Amino acid sequence: MRGKWRTIPFREVPRIDRQDRLACVFLLEHDAPAVLRAHSNAVANRLLRRCVDEDEISLHKDTRGKPLVSGSGVHVSLSHSGRCLAVAVSTVDLGMDIESLRYPDKWPALYRWITAPGEQAEAATGADFLRVWTAKEALVKALGTGLDYGLHRLPVPTLDSPAYRRVRMEDRTYWLRPLPMWKDMVACLALERPCTVHTLVVADLLRP
């Protein structure tokens, strides 16, 4: 799809005006995935404070595990995959997922599990699976249920272009936005409303 990730230093992380309809997806890489997971909340907090220019806000989770930033007027979603951590910050409620094909021998069974027989693409590829998986996981993250909701319960989204796709779920409407690929990573946003999206690689935030 069109678009690309732009690499920036941490000092150039943009401010987010709470009156704007905007989402920024920040991507960070580290050779040790365990380091990413151990420091993901600290990284997200640094990005949040930079985005809204407040030193006191912090990330916490609701009773179902959805990240929240009380009183800030912004929303956040996190996703890990291998060497990558993605942090989405937006003025609209959202969910986000990023994945690579980590288990090449297992994706066909997972694809069959998350799609109804009539929705399965003929001669599906690993890329097809990732597009469906990331879209569905972004949706359940936005809803706040996580995988407990059951990805097989969601209709297969149509993601054949960069345009938004409208999905109705639990009496709420979300808009799916596939993101540019990063190396072998596929990513997707589910947003409460369509908005401007920036995809940014933060080059130096995880350096010593």
Side-chain angles (χ1 to χ4, degrees):
M1 66 165 286
R2 296 169 187 161
K4 62 180 181 179
W5 295 85
R6 182 165 63 91
T7 300
I8 61 169
F10 177 69
R11 68 176 182 275
E12 293 182 10
V13 165
R15 299 286 195 265
I16 294 179
D17 188 323
R18 298 172 199 184
Q19 305 305 312
D20 292 338
R21 192 173 291 185
L22 176 68
C24 290
V25 183
F26 301 104
L27 187 68
L28 303 101
E29 282 192 299
H30 197 282
D31 289 338
V35 171
L36 284 177
R37 290 189 175 274
H39 297 284
S40 60
N41 276 7
V43 167
N45 278 325
R46 286 193 66 189
L47 288 168
L48 280 167
R49 292 165 186 167
R50 176 77 179 179
C51 286
V52 301
D53 198 21
E54 289 186 17
D55 293 332
E56 301 302 322
I57 67 168
S58 62
L59 186 67
H60 61 281
K61 294 182 178 181
D62 67 12
T63 55
R64 296 190 295 182
K66 182 174 180 176
L68 296 174
V69 193
S70 297
S72 69
V74 298
H75 305 267
V76 65
S77 185
L78 280 70
S79 183
H80 304 84
S81 185
R83 297 171 53 187
C84 287
L85 166 66
V87 180
V89 182
S90 179
T91 54
V92 303
D93 195 15
L94 80 166
M96 180 265 306
D97 190 47
I98 186 169
E99 298 287 349
S100 63
L101 201 63
R102 289 173 287 169
Y103 306 106
D105 57 333
K106 295 182 179 179
W107 74 259
L110 285 171
Y111 180 73
R112 290 190 295 272
W113 173 63
I114 65 173
T115 56
E119 298 173 329
Q120 293 169 9
E122 293 184 15
T125 65
D128 294 324
F129 162 69
L130 285 178
R131 282 192 290 270
V132 172
W133 179 278
T134 54
K136 290 191 173 198
E137 187 159 352
L139 283 167
V140 295
K141 284 184 173 183
L143 190 62
T145 62
L147 296 179
D148 290 343
Y149 185 85
L151 299 188
H152 61 286
R153 296 173 57 191
L154 295 170
V156 175
T158 302
L159 297 171
D160 55 356
S161 81
Y164 285 99
R165 292 289 184 262
R166 183 177 180 270
V167 177
R168 188 77 175 163
M169 184 173 70
E170 294 290 311
D171 296 324
R172 297 173 65 180
T173 298
Y174 293 97
W175 298 84
L176 284 170
R177 174 65 179 267
L179 299 177
M181 285 192 67
W182 172 255
K183 299 179 181 177
D184 62 343
M185 298 283 180
V186 173
C188 190
L189 276 178
L191 295 152
E192 185 181 39
R193 296 186 302 278
C195 65
T196 301
V197 176
H198 298 301
T199 48
L200 303 165
V201 178
V202 184
D204 56 349
L205 185 52
L206 290 172
R207 291 177 183 170

